[in-house]
């Protein structure tokens, strides 16, 4: 005779309400799993999509994604000349907040050499890659732009020639791919008024008494023109048979730059930018799981207290301990399993509407279920202890 | 008549030293199969303590207890499975809230049979048989909360009889019932003793209920005396 089911049958309303309540908590636990996975996935997605053999960045910098790095664009010629390098391509990754199509949006500009294709989008869901040196863009779907749409960015108007769905910045912002010179212009070219002001400031400093004549100052002013020929990294494809470590050492020694392989970049992200939020999310989901277990323990304990006389009656008529243990543990496991199921249904039907990526995996779902069930068993211990301590004499009204 | 229960020089003391309270002082009692025994006495006289010692809920301080030829206590517990003895040989009925509230009448009666390991079909058959014997079969699927006190008590008796015990212990079984219903319950206990040859020990303080009992014992200050003339 399944006593647990029969007891639940009598308290069906309360049991159901508790299941829904704890189920929503489990939904949050599962969502935290998904947010955690999504956070890591988004944090690494740009590295994984770009995936060159080597990332060359400013010396002592962990960039370009974990940390900002800035290099002169022409360095890619020097890198390309290093033995073992088949191709070196300049690369820009730069988060911005600009107005696009009348709305202020946060996104990350990716500038790449559209002719080598290194650093560009891998899979398009519509349209084509950028094939012209200027005024074409490939946009992430999340930006809300349509194929063929023209939009103003900085000084120029760009046309969306392709749409992509893969990859975001580490912050989960959508990507906008531009050709390298377009990206450089959008990011580093100040507007005309700022250029005029800057030139005036430089001119005034040049014509100070004892420096240059106005004619000489005009001549040198061109030297101080705004430099947009900067990149954040140089992506390297190795020649067949070249060893990444050896080539990296050569670049470091000859060019005084820092070099990382893609796994090293991932490692840097894990230990750097992703580390604390990752730990925070892990801590948060662990705490939530503990909260669930504590609530289940309290509910089971209360249910046990309510039937303590019935337990005494059972003991009096000769029920062995295992029957009583089973009654309480089964209720705890049922409560946990039903709550988990409710949580699972809630999160699996809502996660696509969340603002950031929620990446739910069967492994995480199963692990959480396993931990929840272990928690459910632990939660029943308090009730079991109380039940086993109950004297059969209680049934006779004696304590 | 087969001897079902024998108690010899049974003592029970609560506490120790100056605070010691002697609840039972050398109780001797023998009950045979089919005997109807009433234990009368005022509150605090030791009736329930004696019942608990007999039913192995409470450990006596000294003395001997035999049940169905088996020594259960001889100045210390003997190596017996107390739960199994309670399950197989002793049936319990008490004043109120006898039944498990989340089980129907039928399930309450089936519970000891289930604990005894009977197949569900057989347990159902026997439980229904007992409910019919108690004339409460029509309430088989009712939860206790939906039954009157008298009906609940009849179900409790059916449950107490489920394992065909040698000894039926009833602690104030009419205490929560009005006198009509109380009389009916007592009548049932009498017929059980006669028809099933079950020894019945009934603790009560209401002398009107013990008419027709074979032995009437009185407990006072922990001492027992036989008195077959109630009132």
């Amino acid at each position: 005779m399944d006593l647990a089911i029969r007891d639940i049958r009598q308290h069906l309303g309360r049991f159901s309400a508790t299941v829904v309540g704890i189920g929503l908590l489990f939904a949050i636990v599962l969502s935290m799993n998904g947010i955690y996975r999504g956070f890591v996935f988004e944090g690494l997605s740009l590295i994984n999509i770009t995936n060159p053999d080597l990332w060359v960045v400013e010396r002592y910098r962990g960039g370009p994604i974990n940390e900002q790095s800035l290099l002169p664009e022409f360095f890619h010629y020097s890198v390309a000349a290093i033995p073992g390098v088949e191709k070196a391509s300049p690369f820009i990754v730069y988060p911005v907040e600009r107005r696009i199509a009348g709305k202020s949006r946060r996104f990350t500009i990716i500038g790449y050499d559209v002719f080598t294709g290194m650093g560009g989008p891998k899979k398009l869901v519509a349209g084509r890659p950028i094939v012209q040196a200027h005024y074409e863009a490939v946009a992430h779907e999340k930006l809300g732009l349509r194929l063929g749409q023209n939009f103003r960015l900085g000084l120029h108007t760009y046309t969306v020639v392709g749409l992509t769905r893969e990859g975001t910045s580490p912050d989960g912002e959508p990507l906008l791919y531009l050709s390298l010179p377009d990206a450089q212009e959008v990011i580093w070219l100040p507007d005309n008024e700022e250029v005029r002001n800057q030139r005036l400031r430089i001119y005034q400093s040049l014509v100070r008494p004892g420096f240059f004549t106005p004619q000489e100052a005009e001549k040198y002013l061109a030297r101080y023109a705004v430099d947009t020929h900067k990149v954040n990294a140089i992506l390297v494809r190795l020649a067949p048979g070249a060893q990444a470590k050896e080539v990296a050492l050569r670049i470091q020694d000859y060019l005084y730059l820092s070099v990382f392989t893609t796994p090293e970049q991932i490692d840097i992200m894990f230990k750097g930018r992703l580390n604390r939020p990752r730990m925070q999310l892990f801590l948060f989901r662990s705490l939530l799981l503990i909260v669930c277990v504590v609530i289940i323990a309290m509910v089971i304990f209360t249910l046990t207290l309510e039937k303590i006389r019935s337990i005494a009656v059972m003991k009096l008529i000769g029920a062995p301990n295992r029957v009583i243990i089973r009654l309480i543990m089964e209720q705890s496991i049922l409560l946990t399993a039903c709550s988990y199921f409710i949580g699972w249904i809630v999160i699996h039907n809502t996660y696509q509407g969340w603002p950031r990526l929620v990446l739910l995996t069967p492994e995480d779902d199963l692990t959480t279920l396993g931990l929840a069930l272990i928690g459910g068993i632990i939660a029943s211990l308090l009730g079991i202890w109380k039940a086993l301590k109950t004297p059969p004499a209680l049934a006779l009204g004696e304590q | 008549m087969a001897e079902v229960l024998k108690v010899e020089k049974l003592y029970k003391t609560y506490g120790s030293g100056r605070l010691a309270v002697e609840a039972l002082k050398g109780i001797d009692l023998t009950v045979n199969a089919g005997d109807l025994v009433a234990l009368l006495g005022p509150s605090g006289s030791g009736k329930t303590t004696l019942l608990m010692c007999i039913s192995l809920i409470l450990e006596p301080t000294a003395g001997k207890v035999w049940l169905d030829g088996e020594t259960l206590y001889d100045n210390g517990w003997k190596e017996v499975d107390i739960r199994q003895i309670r399950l197989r040989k002793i049936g319990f009925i008490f004043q109120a809230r006898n039944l498990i509230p989340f089980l129907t009448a039928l399930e309450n009666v089936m519970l000891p049979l289930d604990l005894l390991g009977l197949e569900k079909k057989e347990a159902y058959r026997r439980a229904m048989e007992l409910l019919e014997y108690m004339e409460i079969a029509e309430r088989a699927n009712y939860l206790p909360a939906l039954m009157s006190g008298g009906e609940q008590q009849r179900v409790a008796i059916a449950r107490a009889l489920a394992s065909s015990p040698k000894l039926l212990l009833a602690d104030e079984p009419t205490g929560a019932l009005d006198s009509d219903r109380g009389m009916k319950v007592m009548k049932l206990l009498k017929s059980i003793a006669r028809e099933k040859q079950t020894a019945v020990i009934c603790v009560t303080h209401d002398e009107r209920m013990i008419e027709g009992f074979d032995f009437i014992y009185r407990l006072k200050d922990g001492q027992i005396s036989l008195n077959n003339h109630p009132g």
Side-chain angles (χ1 to χ4, degrees), chain A residues 5-42:
Chain A
I5 296 284
R6 280 164 175 81
D7 186 32
I8 289 169
R9 183 182 62 186
Q10 211 202 352
H11 299 111
L12 198 58
R14 189 147 53 109
F15 184 82
S16 306
T18 310
V19 160
V20 170
I22 300 173
L24 291 175
L25 264 178
F26 270 120
I28 299 172
V29 174
L30 290 170
S31 75
M32 291 310 295
N33 290 342
I35 289 168
Y36 173 82
R37 291 279 173 206
F39 175 78
V40 172
F41 180 85
E42 285 182 335

Side-chain angles (χ1 to χ4, degrees), chain A residues 158-180:
Chain A
Y158 296 84
T159 304
V160 179
V161 297
L163 291 173
T164 181
R165 198 176 285 158
E166 64 171 4
T168 57
S169 75
D171 299 323
E173 307 295 352
L175 303 177
L176 181 73
Y177 289 92
L178 296 174
S179 71
L180 188 77

Side-chain angles (χ1 to χ4, degrees), chain B residues 158-172:
Chain B
R159 187 184 64 194
L161 294 174
S163 57
S164 307
K166 299 282 180 189
L167 178 65
L168 198 59
L169 298 177
D171 187 13
E172 303 275 8

Side-chain angles (χ1 to χ4, degrees), chain A residues 309-335:
Chain A
R309 194 179 158 93
S310 298
I311 288 168
V313 170
M314 281 188 250
K315 286 176 131 183
L316 185 69
I317 63 176
N321 282 343
R322 67 180 155 76
V323 170
I324 290 150
I325 291 170
R326 189 186 147 189
L327 161 66
I328 296 165
M329 197 171 277
E330 196 180 322
Q331 281 190 340
S332 186
I333 290 172
L334 271 173
L335 185 65

Side-chain angles (χ1 to χ4, degrees), chain B residues 119-205:
Chain B
E119 275 190 25
K120 198 179 169 186
K121 216 170 165 181
E122 177 62 9
Y124 175 85
R125 193 189 60 76
R126 280 182 64 179
M128 280 309 290
E129 229 175 65
L130 285 163
L131 288 172
E132 274 159 22
Y133 180 72
M134 291 293 145
E135 297 173 349
I136 191 85
E138 74 281 2
R139 301 280 198 204
N141 293 315
Y142 278 49
L143 286 170
L146 300 173
M147 290 188 281
S148 69
E151 287 171 335
Q152 287 187 38
Q153 213 57 325
R154 277 192 275 162
V155 176
I157 296 170
R159 187 184 64 194
L161 294 174
S163 57
S164 307
K166 299 282 180 189
L167 178 65
L168 198 59
L169 298 177
D171 187 13
E172 303 275 8
T174 59
L177 304 177
D178 59 42
S179 54
D180 273 1
R181 288 197 175 108
M183 284 301 208
K184 281 179 188 164
V185 166
M186 283 306 197
K187 204 172 153 192
L188 271 171
L189 291 178
K190 284 172 207 165
S191 60
I192 287 162
R194 303 292 176 241
E195 291 167 20
K196 295 185 183 289
Q197 285 299 295
T198 306
V200 177
I201 300 178
C202 183
V203 167
T204 183
H205 63 274

Side-chain angles (χ1 to χ4, degrees), chain A residues 369-390:
Chain A
L369 175 62
L371 288 172
L373 289 176
I374 292 168
I377 290 168
I378 293 168
S380 66
L381 295 179
L382 193 61
I384 289 170
W385 168 79
K386 179 71 185 167
L388 294 184
K389 227 170 59 106
T390 303

Side-chain angles (χ1 to χ4, degrees), chain A residues 124-170:
Chain A
L124 297 181
V125 289
R128 59 165 175 81
I130 299 169
V131 292
Q132 290 185 23
H134 288 290
Y135 315 129
E136 288 189 346
V138 168
H140 194 286
E141 276 186 333
K142 274 165 78 177
L143 259 174
L145 295 168
R146 297 184 315 277
L147 196 62
Q149 184 178 349
N150 293 321
F151 65 95
R152 186 88 180 165
L153 188 62
L155 299 175
H156 302 289
T157 300
Y158 296 84
T159 304
V160 179
V161 297
L163 291 173
T164 181
R165 198 176 285 158
E166 64 171 4
T168 57
S169 75

